[in-house]
Amino acid sequence: MSAALHTAFILLAVYGLPELYRSPEPVEQPIVVELVMVAEVTTPAPPKIEPPKKEPEVARAEPQPEPPKPEPEPAKPPPPPPELPEPEPVKAPLPKPEPEMKVALAVPEPAPKPKPKPKPPPKSVVKVAKAVPKPKPKPRAPPKPRTENFNADQIAALLDKKLKKKPRERKARKERPRQKAEIRIPRRSASSRISTRALTMSEKDAIRFQFQQCWSVPTGAPDAENLSVRIRIFLNPDGSLRSPPVIVERARMNQPGQEFFRAAAESAWRAVKKCSPLKNLPVAKYNRWRDIELTFDPREMFRG
Amino acid sequence: MSLLGRRALKVLALLALCLAAGPAWAVLKIDITRGNLDPLPIAITDFYANDGKSERIGADITRVVSADLERSGLFRPIEPRAFIQRPVDIQVQPRFGDWRQINAQALVNGSVETAADGRLRVEFRLWDVFAEQQISGFRYDTTPANWRRIAHIVADAVYKRLTGEDGYFDTRIVYVSESGPPNRRKKKLAIMDQDGANHKFLTQGKELVLTPRFSPSRQEITYLSYFNDQPRVYIYNIDTGQQEVLGDFPGMTFAPRFSPDGNKVVMSLADEGNSELYTMDLRTRAVERLTNHPAIDTSPSYAPDGKRIVFNSDRGGRQQLYVMNADASDIHRISFGEGRYATPVWSPRGDLIAFTKMHRGRFFVGVMRPDGSGERLLSESYLDEGPTWAPNGRVLMFFRQVPGDSKGRGGSTRLWSIDLTGYNQRQVITPVDASDPAWSPKSQ
């Protein structure tokens, strides 16, 4: 009897005591998951067709680039050389550096444009200058120089590569191993290349980030958290504004007692103007971002 | 064709129609919820003038406007040497491309002219550089000696148009100027413009002066002084220099505060250790008692609509803030944090109450909403006390004491200002030590 009790006690000690020191099983916590569209590449690669956009920057910085510059002046990948025709005569850079940004795929003006200044400017200036002197808004150059410059095949190649990179959102994982293998370059017309796929989170974030840099929030207004301003913008394919930004609640700005709203609306309007032209927008999805409604809401800045 | 076939055809046709619609574009909606807190870059050009004397005044005006806007922390005047267009050309038409090039978002220009009768004519314009249009402007005729006020009025106009808030630059500060060793302080009442100019002493320092308070509707102050060792309240008219005695109030430690219409003052009086709140009508001198409680009730301040009063009481056991109606009904506590709360002041905008808080040996100046929520501490130090609001309810001024060493050397008491967002803490320059600031309402 005693032995049995002793044995029972010993067994209890051996198997029971460790239980006291074991920590409880961790409880399964549900993890909240939000489904968003994410691109294969998180930072959208800058579109390779840079040169036409760079002209304005070069023009603003150097209206008079006299000394011959080295080739990689545009400071972006080298596609420019094949697209440049032989150096144009003329085109002196005028002191007024306000180039036409509309000339996205700019056409070089051929010889028939007589200009008195015979300086042979370097290649970078050529691209600048042809944008600068514009008595008429859009010079209609003969098609021949256009095809020399505008290499549809090259553009097709670049665009399609980008298209390939953006996986179908539903079948992302399946496509991945395939993409690296086949990079076809089919010849298609421009219209069918415009994608109707929605913008991915990273592309929207890229746009959002640019505006965040430009917007100076008016703090300190009473009830500042409730001063949200909506602005409609209409964009050209190169990211610049097609027309002045429109404040959705325009009428409210001029009402008496709405001075804080007016100050907030103007700060948002200035942010939009300051941020124009927007950079790194996916040209292939132009239809998706040609018309944007921005809501400037400083609510998050007043937390905590 | 069978019925089924026809229906199928209709369905197919509808489907085809839906699919045949070309790529539609909906408006893309993006929320921008963060931005930066950069001050607005503004270009303030010298006011153009034809003759030398006016040109000097023009340059002075520009300097004062620039300093005012920069001190507010919301603007960043651009270095004048970067300007491309000259004042004389801006008079004709500003070339906005030039101003965008130096990253200005707003442009101020103007002109100064001395008329034949000696009067000064000042004209000012404010331009939006991105929108390329004038957004504000006025013309003023005044005496040449008044150029500083004109400069402050210009700064107010720019501030108001670009931020929506009333400006506070055309105001003055009354404070107690202190000098001498810690055990024999000489205190004089002093007044100066909010940028430190036009400094003047109002009393000689023979008697102790304390806690000046400004009337919200008139250029009058009340302050506490000692006469025959008795605290006495004076009313002093800044413009005329006339002074009269409001009364002798034994046991008073703070001067009264005015009601928003300027006709009454509210004060705390101590009687045998029990401090209560009273109002006095300035015209009839009738005194009316508000609170009746064994606890210490002190430091009252009116709301800008005159309907409520915030004060400091320890009826809950510890010094806390309470709000009641102007007729002393509905007394309720609004502060519930740790530490002790004192010197509440209601903002002229009505949306916040500023206070001094003491906790664990440190002093804080903070704000909270009138219902007690949203408490935020703006500053902290060995001793920060006595906040006073600018008339636009945006900027607070208080005094800060830095302790001396054990021998009493090296300490100082100075005025500091801070924006209610907690940014832009700046020292206000005074000739000697200073305490107890009171901010005037906008000059009429």
Side-chain angles (χ1 to χ4, degrees), chain A residues 6-60:
Chain A
H6 273 84
T7 321
F9 180 74
I10 290 168
L11 283 172
L12 200 69
V14 166
Y15 289 110
L17 282 178
E19 287 285 334
L20 289 173
Y21 295 105
R22 195 179 310 158
S23 47
E25 299 279 343
V27 180
E28 288 286 333
Q29 295 276 5
I31 301 174
V32 178
V33 172
E34 187 185 321
L35 295 175
V36 297
M37 289 189 295
V38 183
E40 180 72 5
V41 179
T42 46
T43 329
K48 297 276 182 14
I49 316 288
E50 275 303 303
K53 260 191 269 174
K54 284 187 309 260
E55 289 160 53
E57 293 162 34
V58 177
R60 235 180 269 128

Side-chain angles (χ1 to χ4, degrees), chain A residues 112-126:
Chain A
K113 225 167 192 239
K115 277 286 179 295
K117 312 240 176 98
K119 287 188 290 228
K123 290 210 175 125
S124 56
V125 179
V126 167

Side-chain angles (χ1 to χ4, degrees), chain A residues 60 98 196 199 204 207-208 211-217 219-223 225 232 259-260 262-263 266 269-270 273-274 287-301 304, chain B residues 23-40 74 95 97 100-101 105-106 128 130-131 135 160-166 349 351 369 376 393-394 419-421 423:
Chain A
R60 235 180 269 128
E98 301 271 32
T196 54
L199 284 171
K204 280 197 203 161
I207 299 177
R208 194 176 288 131
F211 282 114
Q212 280 174 7
Q213 303 296 95
C214 298
W215 183 38
S216 296
V217 184
T219 53
D223 214 23
E225 318 63 282
R232 283 285 283 269
E259 284 89 12
F260 289 111
R262 181 168 65 173
E266 285 178 348
W269 198 90
R270 278 196 291 267
K273 277 290 225 173
K274 196 171 158 202
N287 267 343
R288 285 282 171 170
W289 51 262
R290 61 189 292 163
D291 188 357
I292 307 184
E293 181 177 292
L294 300 161
T295 303
F296 287 85
D297 188 347
R299 202 178 303 251
E300 224 173 89
M301 302 203 59
Chain B
W25 59 84
V27 175
L28 176 67
K29 293 193 195 262
I30 296 189
D31 284 337
I32 319 280
T33 54
R34 310 195 72 86
N36 57 45
L37 293 168
D38 293 346
L40 195 134
L74 302 178
R95 260 204 315 268
R100 274 197 294 272
Q101 200 162 336
Q105 291 185 15
D128 183 331
F130 280 118
I135 53 178
K160 175 151 179 106
R161 182 59 182 80
L162 290 175
T163 66
E165 313 233 25
D166 287 334
R349 231 160 50 176
D351 59 341
R369 287 193 218 107
R376 275 187 302 133
R394 169 98 198 211
D419 190 270
L420 71 78
T421 52
Y423 288 96

Side-chain angles (χ1 to χ4, degrees), chain A residues 159-229:
Chain A
L159 281 177
D160 284 336
K161 237 185 274 183
K162 262 172 54 80
L163 269 183
K164 275 278 179 271
K165 281 202 192 125
K166 299 203 199 324
R168 280 173 215 286
E169 281 73 27
R170 275 174 240 111
K171 302 193 255 174
R173 283 177 240 323
K174 276 192 255 170
E175 296 247 337
R176 214 179 294 149
R178 262 192 10 223
Q179 274 156 23
K180 301 226 178 3
E182 42 180 31
I183 301 181
R184 301 186 318 251
I185 308 174
R187 308 277 154 96
R188 292 193 226 162
S189 65
S191 60
S192 71
R193 253 184 269 115
I194 305 275
S195 166
T196 54
R197 290 201 206 95
L199 284 171
T200 65
M201 276 299 290
S202 16
E203 284 158 352
K204 280 197 203 161
D205 273 343
I207 299 177
R208 194 176 288 131
F209 183 71
Q210 289 182 52
F211 282 114
Q212 280 174 7
Q213 303 296 95
C214 298
W215 183 38
S216 296
V217 184
T219 53
D223 214 23
E225 318 63 282
N226 290 332
L227 282 176
S228 80
V229 180

Side-chain angles (χ1 to χ4, degrees), chain B residues 205-227:
Chain B
K206 287 201 283 273
E207 306 92 25
L208 202 64
V209 287
L210 294 173
T211 62
R213 316 280 201 208
F214 243 109
S215 162
S217 54
R218 285 189 273 274
Q219 294 289 316
E220 277 179 355
I221 56 169
T222 61
Y223 66 94
L224 202 62
S225 182
Y226 282 81
F227 185 75

Side-chain angles (χ1 to χ4, degrees), chain B residues 110-338:
Chain B
S111 67
V112 177
E113 189 181 311
T114 313
D117 58 357
R119 284 177 74 76
L120 205 65
R121 165 167 290 189
V122 180
E123 196 181 279
F124 128 85
R125 288 172 204 274
L126 172 66
W127 306 82
D128 183 331
V129 169
F130 280 118
E132 302 195 357
Q133 22 173 281
Q134 178 181 336
I135 53 178
S136 183
F138 60 64
R139 173 188 300 171
Y140 242 99
D141 287 337
T142 183
T143 61
N146 238 353
W147 66 267
R148 253 186 197 277
R149 273 205 72 190
I150 301 295
H152 290 314
I153 292 173
V154 168
D156 275 344
V158 173
Y159 185 88
K160 175 151 179 106
R161 182 59 182 80
L162 290 175
T163 66
E165 313 233 25
D166 287 334
Y168 60 94
F169 302 113
D170 189 23
T171 54
R172 291 185 282 184
I173 313 278
V174 162
Y175 69 96
V176 173
S177 145
E178 306 185 0
S179 50
N183 51 354
R184 262 182 323 131
R185 284 303 246 186
K186 190 162 171 167
K187 296 200 177 194
K188 295 194 251 187
L189 213 57
I191 187 170
M192 62 182 183
D193 289 353
Q194 52 84 22
D195 62 352
N198 289 337
H199 187 278
K200 215 163 53 170
F201 287 108
L202 298 174
T203 67
Q204 265 53 50
K206 287 201 283 273
E207 306 92 25
L208 202 64
V209 287
L210 294 173
T211 62
R213 316 280 201 208
F214 243 109
S215 162
S217 54
R218 285 189 273 274
Q219 294 289 316
E220 277 179 355
I221 56 169
T222 61
Y223 66 94
L224 202 62
S225 182
Y226 282 81
F227 185 75
N228 291 343
D229 290 334
Q230 284 278 34
R232 169 180 277 192
V233 177
Y234 289 88
I235 290 195
Y236 184 104
N237 189 310
I238 306 271
D239 290 335
T240 64
Q242 272 191 326
Q243 180 163 249
E244 62 173 304
V245 177
L246 194 60
D248 284 342
F249 300 98
M252 181 177 273
T253 49
F254 293 110
R257 286 196 193 269
F258 285 87
S259 65
D261 57 9
N263 294 330
K264 284 208 282 207
V265 290
V266 65
M267 55 197 171
S268 60
L269 281 176
D271 182 24
E272 289 172 12
N274 183 14
S275 179
E276 304 285 4
L277 302 182
Y278 294 79
T279 60
M280 175 193 274
D281 189 311
L282 287 175
R283 293 160 298 189
T284 65
R285 302 296 164 96
V287 175
E288 191 189 314
R289 183 175 172 145
L290 290 180
T291 58
N292 195 350
H293 195 283
I296 297 176
D297 301 323
T298 182
S299 193
S301 167
Y302 268 103
D305 62 357
K307 297 207 174 81
R308 287 182 295 172
I309 296 176
V310 63
F311 65 98
N312 165 12
S313 170
D314 65 356
R315 59 182 64 196
R318 230 174 359 136
Q319 240 180 314
Q320 296 284 346
L321 301 181
Y322 289 75
V323 168
M324 66 181 181
N325 293 332
D327 60 0
S329 60
D330 187 28
I331 301 181
H332 60 276
R333 181 169 158 182
I334 61 168
S335 70
F336 291 92
E338 290 184 5

